[in-house]
Amino acid sequence: MKHQHPHPEEHLTSSAMLQDIVIGLSDGLTVPFALAAGLSGAVDSSGLVITAGLAEIVAGSIAMGLGGYLAGRTEVEHYQAELAREYREVAEVPHVERAEVDELLAEMGLSPATRAQAVAELTADPDQWVRFMMKYELGLEKPDPQQARKSALTIGLAYALGGLVPLTAYFFTATPREGLLWSAVITLLCLLVFGYLKSRLTGQPPVLGALRMAGIGALAAGAAFLVARWIGG
Amino acid sequence: MKHQHPHPEEHLTSSAMLQDIVIGLSDGLTVPFALAAGLSGAVDSSGLVITAGLAEIVAGSIAMGLGGYLAGRTEVEHYQAELAREYREVAEVPHVERAEVDELLAEMGLSPATRAQAVAELTADPDQWVRFMMKYELGLEKPDPQQARKSALTIGLAYALGGLVPLTAYFFTATPREGLLWSAVITLLCLLVFGYLKSRLTGQPPVLGALRMAGIGALAAGAAFLVARWIGG
C-alpha cells in the first residue's frame, strides 16, 4: 500500500495503475465485507446492512480516492520544492554541493582519484548536477503531474467495485444471517483469487499470498461480527 | 499514503512511525465519521450508529493494520529475493552486470574514461558490487525486518483512535441527528488540526493542508449521508 519502489520509466504508468487497483481492491474487498458481516450479527434487516454497506463504500472510496489524490499532489509539490532548492544551492553554495557529490560517490565505493574526476564531470552542467542530486542524494524521480488524478479515480473505483462484491449477497437473501453466509463464500473466494494474482504480479509465492489475503478478510469480518453482536445484539 | 521516499538512515524509525500514524489517522478520522454521518440520515437509533461505527472501526483497523503488515513483509521478502538474484548474477554473468554498472554511470553523466575506472573499482568486491546494484539499479534499501509488525500496530491503533473521535458524540446525544451535528463539529476540528500538523511535518503549506483534509472528510460524510438517506430513509 505504501511501499513503492522506483520502476523503469517505461513501466511506470501501468505499474502505478496496477498498484492503485491493488490498493483499492485490498481495502474494498475487506472493510465493507467485514462491516456487513458485523452488522449481520446485530440487526435483523438485510436492508439496514445494505444501507450501511453502501454508505461505507461511498465514504471509503471518496476518502481513499481523495487521499490518493492528495498524496500524489504532495509528491509533485515536494519534488518541485526540492528541485528549486537544489538549483538554488548549486548556484549559491557550489562548494557544499560539490562536497555532497563527492560524499555520495565515496559511499558507492569510488577511490579519491576517480571521485575527483567524476565530481568535475558531474558538476560541469548545472542541469545534470541538479538531476544527479535529485535522484541520488534525495532519491526523487520526476513524478507525473497527471498521476494524482488518475490515482484518485483508480483507487476510488477499485474500492467501490471491491466493496460491492460482499454486498450483492444481501440483495438476494431473506435474512442478514443468510446474506452473511453467501457474502462470506463469495468474498473469501474473491480474496483468494485476488491474493493469488497480486502475489503473482509482485513475484511472491502465490498460494501463500492467496491465504494471507483471505485470512485478513476472515479475521476482520470475524472480529467485527463479535464486536457488533456484543454491543448491538 | 503510499508515496514513500528514502530517508537518511538515522531518521528512518521515527519517520516510518510518523508516516504510519498519518496513514491510520487519515482514514480513521474520515471513514468511520462518514459512515456514522450516513447512517444518521437513515436510521432513528443512536445505538445502531454506534454499533455500525464500532464494527467499522474494528474491521478497518484490522484490515489496514494487517495490510500494513503484509506490505512490510512483502518488502522484506522482495529485498531478499532481489539480493539473492544480484549475488547470483554477479557470480554467473559478471560481464552483463559490469555492463549494467557502466550504463548506470553513463546515465549519471560520466565520461567513458572515468566510467572504465569507476566500473573497475565498484566491481572489485562482490559485496560492494551487489550493494551498488541494489541501491542504484533497483532503488532498494535494506528494510528493517521488525518494521512490518511495528507498522501493523501503529496503523491499526491510529485508525481505531481516529475512528473513536466521531463516534463519541453519539454516546451523549439523544438522536442520531443531534449526534451527527456534534460529531461533525468535533471531527472537522480534528481534521483541521491533523491536516495542519501533517502539512507542517512534510513541509507543505499548513493552512491549505488543513482545509484539504477537512474537505475530504466533509465530502465523504456528505456523500454517505445522501446515499444512505436515498436508500434507507
Side-chain angles (χ1 to χ4, degrees):
Chain A
M1 175 175 321
K2 64 201 173 68
H3 299 267
Q4 193 176 36
H5 308 300
H7 298 281
E9 203 66 41
E10 63 271 28
H11 293 151
L12 193 68
T13 309
S14 71
S15 284
M17 181 165 223
L18 267 180
Q19 205 173 24
D20 286 337
I21 292 176
V22 166
I23 292 170
L25 273 183
S26 300
D27 287 359
L29 276 170
T30 43
V31 182
F33 164 54
L35 170 70
L39 282 180
S40 303
V43 303
D44 296 322
S45 142
S46 285
L48 206 57
V49 175
I50 290 172
T51 302
L54 287 175
E56 211 288 335
I57 290 174
V58 169
S61 53
I62 290 179
M64 286 202 66
L66 288 185
Y69 178 77
L70 277 201
R73 291 300 315 161
T74 301
E75 198 187 2
V76 170
E77 287 161 14
H78 180 62
Y79 183 87
Q80 281 160 351
E82 293 291 335
L83 191 70
R85 205 182 67 166
E86 286 297 337
Y87 268 109
R88 212 166 47 236
E89 288 178 351
V90 158
E92 288 171 7
V93 284
H95 56 286
V96 176
E97 292 298 296
R98 209 169 275 129
E100 284 180 7
V101 174
D102 188 64
E103 204 182 309
L104 283 166
L105 296 174
E107 264 171 42
M108 288 182 196
L110 294 177
S111 70
T114 310
R115 261 146 55 200
Q117 220 170 298
V119 169
E121 288 174 10
L122 293 175
T123 61
D125 172 50
D127 290 335
Q128 179 181 276
W129 189 354
V130 166
R131 199 153 42 83
F132 180 85
M133 299 307 283
M134 292 298 286
K135 185 160 176 189
Y136 297 102
E137 188 200 6
L138 303 175
L140 296 179
E141 303 266 5
K142 190 170 166 46
D144 173 3
Q146 300 303 313
Q147 191 53 48
R149 231 182 19 194
K150 285 188 252 169
S151 279
L153 263 177
T154 312
I155 294 176
L157 283 176
Y159 188 95
L161 204 73
L164 285 174
V165 168
L167 277 197
T168 49
Y170 296 92
F171 282 98
F172 302 109
T173 53
T175 64
R177 293 300 175 101
E178 214 182 315
L180 172 56
L181 185 73
W182 285 104
S183 178
V185 170
I186 297 167
T187 310
L188 291 175
L189 274 176
C190 283
L191 283 168
L192 285 169
V193 172
F194 171 64
Y196 186 90
L197 293 176
K198 182 191 156 189
S199 302
R200 283 288 296 268
L201 268 174
T202 54
Q204 303 297 306
V207 174
L208 183 64
L211 293 175
R212 276 175 171 176
M213 193 56 85
I216 292 182
L219 207 65
F225 184 88
L226 290 178
V227 163
R229 197 162 63 170
W230 178 58
I231 297 186
Chain B
M1 174 175 323
K2 61 198 178 66
H3 299 266
Q4 191 176 39
H5 309 300
H7 299 281
E9 203 67 42
E10 63 272 27
H11 295 149
L12 194 67
T13 308
S14 71
S15 285
M17 182 165 222
L18 267 180
Q19 204 173 24
D20 287 338
I21 292 176
V22 166
I23 291 170
L25 273 183
S26 301
D27 287 359
L29 277 170
T30 42
V31 183
F33 164 53
L35 170 69
L39 282 180
S40 303
V43 303
D44 296 322
S45 141
S46 286
L48 206 57
V49 174
I50 290 172
T51 302
L54 287 175
E56 212 286 337
I57 290 174
V58 170
S61 54
I62 290 179
M64 286 202 68
L66 287 185
Y69 178 78
L70 276 200
R73 291 299 314 159
T74 300
E75 197 187 3
V76 170
E77 287 161 13
H78 180 63
Y79 183 88
Q80 281 161 349
E82 292 292 335
L83 190 70
R85 207 182 65 168
E86 286 296 337
Y87 268 110
R88 214 166 46 236
E89 288 178 353
V90 157
E92 289 171 7
V93 285
H95 55 288
V96 176
E97 292 298 296
R98 210 169 274 127
E100 284 180 6
V101 174
D102 188 63
E103 203 181 309
L104 284 166
L105 296 174
E107 265 171 41
M108 287 181 198
L110 294 178
S111 70
T114 310
R115 259 146 55 199
Q117 221 171 301
V119 169
E121 288 175 8
L122 293 175
T123 62
D125 172 49
D127 291 335
Q128 179 182 272
W129 188 353
V130 166
R131 200 153 41 83
F132 180 84
M133 299 306 285
M134 291 299 285
K135 186 160 175 187
Y136 296 103
E137 187 199 6
L138 303 175
L140 297 178
E141 303 267 4
K142 190 169 167 46
D144 173 5
Q146 300 302 313
Q147 191 53 48
R149 232 185 14 197
K150 283 188 255 170
S151 279
L153 264 177
T154 312
I155 294 175
L157 283 177
Y159 188 94
L161 203 72
L164 286 175
V165 168
L167 277 197
T168 48
Y170 296 92
F171 282 98
F172 303 108
T173 52
T175 65
R177 294 300 174 100
E178 214 181 315
L180 173 55
L181 185 74
W182 284 105
S183 178
V185 170
I186 297 168
T187 310
L188 291 175
L189 274 176
C190 284
L191 283 168
L192 285 170
V193 172
F194 171 64
Y196 185 90
L197 293 176
K198 182 190 157 190
S199 301
R200 284 287 297 265
L201 268 174
T202 55
Q204 304 297 309
V207 174
L208 183 65
L211 294 175
R212 276 175 171 176
M213 193 56 84
I216 292 183
L219 208 65
F225 183 90
L226 290 178
V227 163
R229 196 162 64 169
W230 178 58
I231 297 185

